[in-house]
Amino acid sequence: MAAIALIALLTGCGPSAGESSADTEADAASVASSEETPEAEASEDDGFCTATDGLGEALLIIKDQSADPSVGAEAVSTAKTILTEVPAPADIAEPWEFLTGAMGVFEEAFASADGGAPQLDDEEGFATLVLLPGGVEAVGVHLQQECGADLGLTAPVIDDVCAVVDPASLGSVFESVPAGTSQRWGGATVECQWEAGDSHVGAIVGSVTMVSDEILQGAAPASEVQMDGYTIDVHQGTLGMFRFSTQGSTAAAVIGEWAVMASVRSGDAAADESKAIALAGMLADALP
C-alpha cells in the first residue's frame, strides 16, 4: 500500500519597502518553526519504526503456521504486545485492528493446546485463518515501505479495486448500485464485491498464482476472447475467493505478472458473459 510523503518547500525573501524589522523577525521565526516540522515528523516516523521492530517477522511466523509451537506462541505474544501498544497508522487501521483481535484468538488457542499445536477449528478460528494472510501482508507492506523492513512481501498493483470500477458500468446489473465491499487477501490480491438481492458482481486483481491456482484451480474455460495483447478466459458460474455459484459468468485474464477476474450474476444469463468480459477488460485497463 503505497505511502505518500508530503514535503513542504519553504522559500524566503527580504523585507519589502515599509516592512519593519519586527515583522521580518516574526516572519523568520515563523519560517524557522515551519522548517522544524519535517524533523518532528521524521522523529515520529523513527519512533513508529522503533516501536514496531520485530512485528513483521513475528507476523510472518504466525502466517506460516509451520513453526514449532513454542516459537509460534512467542511470535503471537510479541505481535499482540506491539499491536496493542502502538497506535495504528491511519491507512492500515482496519487490518491492524483485525490482527490485534486475531492475536487474541491465537493466544487462547495456544493456551488451550498446552504446549502443542493450536487448534482453530471453530467458526471464529476458521475466519481468522482465512483472513490472516491479507491482514499480515497489509501491515507487512506498510512496514516495508515506511521502515525499510525486509519481509519479502509484494504490494498489490491496485490498492482499491472498488475505486477503479465505474459505478455506471454496474447499472445494468443493479436497480440501485450498492457500495462495493473491499477485501484484502494474501498473494497481493484485492477483491471488491457488490451485492443486492440475488444480483452479484465481483472484481479481483492479484497475483497469477492466487487467481489461477487458488481460485480457478486449473479449471478449463468454456470459451476464450482475444483482446489486444491478452486473452480473457470465460468460465460458467460466478467464482471468487471462497465463493462459487453455478449461475452467472466469470471472466479472467493474465496480463504480465498480474491477473484480473470479474464475475457477474444478474439474473439474465444471456447477458452475464458479456458483462463479465467487459468488467475484466476494465480491470485490465486499470493496471499500470
Side-chain angles (χ1 to χ4, degrees):
M1 300 169 71
I4 303 175
L6 300 179
I7 303 175
L9 300 178
L10 300 174
T11 58
C13 53
S16 61
E19 185 176 16
S20 69
S21 61
D23 291 335
T24 303
E25 291 173 0
D27 290 343
S30 176
V31 170
S33 175
S34 298
E35 289 177 338
E36 291 174 1
T37 302
E39 295 179 4
E41 291 175 352
S43 180
E44 291 174 3
D45 291 342
D46 291 343
F48 170 79
C49 295
T50 299
T52 56
D53 185 36
L55 174 60
E57 291 78 5
L59 291 175
L60 289 183
I61 291 174
I62 299 164
K63 175 175 171 283
D64 184 57
Q65 298 180 42
S66 64
D68 179 271
S70 61
V71 175
E74 183 178 354
V76 167
S77 178
T78 297
K80 183 181 179 182
T81 298
I82 296 173
L83 290 166
T84 302
E85 295 181 353
V86 178
D91 56 345
I92 54 168
E94 187 173 341
W96 191 282
E97 181 181 359
F98 162 73
L99 288 176
T100 303
M103 293 310 106
V105 174
F106 277 112
E107 192 172 58
E108 292 180 5
F110 274 110
S112 301
D114 193 24
Q119 301 297 317
L120 291 92
D121 50 9
D122 60 0
E123 184 175 346
E124 182 181 32
F126 177 75
T128 299
L129 291 176
V130 166
L131 299 175
L132 183 68
V136 169
E137 286 191 13
V139 172
V141 166
H142 182 87
L143 294 173
Q144 287 183 158
Q145 295 172 336
E146 297 298 320
C147 304
D150 185 13
L151 303 175
L153 299 174
T154 301
V157 67
I158 296 177
D159 287 329
D160 187 357
V161 176
C162 297
V164 304
V165 177
D166 183 357
S169 67
L170 306 178
S172 62
V173 179
F174 304 101
E175 290 185 6
S176 177
V177 179
T181 302
S182 180
Q183 180 63 57
R184 172 74 178 268
W185 303 104
T189 299
V190 182
E191 179 177 29
C192 186
Q193 296 186 64
W194 297 262
E195 191 164 12
D198 293 330
S199 298
H200 179 275
V201 172
I204 296 176
V205 177
S207 66
V208 176
T209 298
M210 181 64 75
V211 173
S212 298
D213 298 345
E214 298 296 327
I215 302 178
L216 294 176
Q217 298 183 13
S223 61
E224 296 180 347
V225 178
Q226 297 301 320
M227 305 296 284
D228 185 14
Y230 64 93
T231 301
I232 292 181
D233 293 335
V234 182
H235 299 263
Q236 295 179 343
T238 48
L239 309 173
M241 291 296 297
F242 301 100
R243 58 183 176 83
F244 169 75
S245 171
T246 57
Q247 298 179 336
S249 185
T250 297
V254 173
I255 300 95
E257 299 179 355
W258 299 99
V260 300
M261 173 182 283
S263 57
V264 177
R265 186 179 70 240
S266 67
D268 182 356
D272 286 346
E273 180 175 320
S274 60
K275 293 174 182 177
I277 292 171
L279 181 54
M282 183 185 299
L283 297 174
D285 290 341
L287 294 175

